[in-house]
Amino acid sequence: MADASGGASGALYGTLLAETGAVLTRADGYSTALLADAADAAQRALSELGGARVGDKTMLDALDPFRAELHARVGEPLPGAWKAAAQSATRAAAATAGLTPSRGRAARMGPLGHGHPDPGATSLALLLTATAVHLNR
């Protein structure tokens, strides 16, 4: 995916998937707690890679509430917890429209980026929502 995606998103998604996969390969099965830990690892790696923080109008603005919601639902069955976490990510991605971009390619737009949701946060929320649909079948 890192090679097939355009721009910086390829490296970001590649890192997200690699870090998530590294945590998941250490376990025999999947649980909400394990996926929350994997989301933690992905968030740390993405922040280190791009230097972004929550509030910079990046995909971290969707990943962070997803991760927090998974942690809040540890002990619950994974399909329902993931669905709730994906909904949190979707709301957060939409809320990035109220932010002014300060990292990545969108930062060049400055105030002109205000009023538009961040594409990275939106694409991540869509990916997490699609996964929720699959898990809840």
Side-chain angles (χ1 to χ4, degrees), residues 23-136:
V23 172
L24 298 180
T25 59
R26 296 191 298 253
D28 291 332
Y30 301 119
S31 67
T32 302
L34 180 65
L35 268 291
D37 290 345
D40 287 343
Q43 183 165 328
R44 278 190 304 274
L46 287 178
S47 186
E48 289 173 15
L49 177 66
R53 295 184 318 260
V54 173
D56 285 341
K57 194 169 183 170
T58 69
M59 70 171 51
L60 288 177
D61 293 305
L63 181 58
D64 186 62
F66 174 80
R67 180 200 61 74
E69 188 70 30
L70 282 180
H71 277 291
R73 293 177 177 273
V74 166
E76 294 182 21
L78 181 58
W82 187 285
K83 181 178 179 182
Q87 290 168 341
S88 291
T90 299
R91 286 189 298 274
T96 63
L99 300 173
T100 299
S102 59
R103 290 304 238 182
R105 193 173 289 175
R108 291 184 233 153
M109 297 297 293
L112 293 175
H114 192 80
H116 304 282
D118 179 68
T122 301
S123 67
L124 179 60
L126 290 169
L127 177 68
L128 297 170
T129 298
T131 303
V133 169
H134 176 73
L135 289 172
N136 283 285

